[in-house]
Structure formats: C-alpha cells, structure tokens
C-alpha cells in the first residue's frame, strides 16, 4: 500500500488525500493511515490548502522520490 500511495502522489503531483484514495482504490481512512507511516518515514509531507483549510494536500519529499526509484517493481520482470 505504501508504494501504491507513493506512486499515486508521484503521478498526480501535489494532491488531496481524497484524490489519492480514488486513484489507488483505497478508503480514505486507509490512505490516511498509510500517509501517517510515510510522513513518519519522511517520504511525504501533508499541508493544508491555502484556499480551503479543510483540504489537506500531500507531496513527495526527496526521500520519497528516492524510495520509489529504488523500490522493486510491483510486477515481476516476466509478468507481461
């Protein structure tokens, strides 16, 4: 789940947790729990929108980008 969420953030850019939830087909509470772990590891940062304080955005940190670059493929090399 952490790799899926990191990949979603990388592909979508700085997004809200609800957009990530729809993209990775996980419930919002599950995405929040995954983001808690990623933030604790320094791989993602959450911050409130400047236009709507109810909305929380997420962006990758350099550590998150590095982790994705080093992560194994979700599918094996011979999958296709």
């Amino acid at each position: 789940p952490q790799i899926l969420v990191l990949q979603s953030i990388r592909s979508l850019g700085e997004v809200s947790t609800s957009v990530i939830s729809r993209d990775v087909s996980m419930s919002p509470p599950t995405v929040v729990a995954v983001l808690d772990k990623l933030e604790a590891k320094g791989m993602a940062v959450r911050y409130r929108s400047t236009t709507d304080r109810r909305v929380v955005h997420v962006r990758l940190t350099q550590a998150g980008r590095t982790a994705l670059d080093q992560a194994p493929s979700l599918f094996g090399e011979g999958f296709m």
Side-chain angles (χ1 to χ4, degrees):
Q2 291 180 10
I3 291 175
L4 287 174
V5 170
L6 285 172
Q7 287 175 334
S8 178
I9 298 167
R10 179 173 62 185
S11 67
L12 298 172
E14 296 185 19
V15 293
S16 67
T17 55
S18 60
V19 172
I20 296 168
S21 176
R22 284 191 299 271
D23 187 56
V24 297
S25 300
M26 292 181 197
S27 70
T30 301
V31 170
V32 169
V34 171
L35 288 173
D36 287 343
K37 293 176 183 176
L38 293 173
E39 199 168 31
K41 293 178 181 179
M43 295 183 186
V45 174
R46 288 182 277 194
Y47 59 95
R48 295 221 178 260
S49 169
T50 56
T51 57
D52 186 347
R53 301 280 302 158
R54 296 171 295 178
V55 177
V56 176
H57 293 286
V58 183
R59 66 177 172 82
L60 288 181
T61 64
Q62 185 58 45
R65 284 188 281 280
T66 301
L68 273 176
D69 291 341
Q70 296 173 352
S73 171
L74 293 177
F75 302 109
E77 285 186 26
F79 180 76
M80 296 305 274

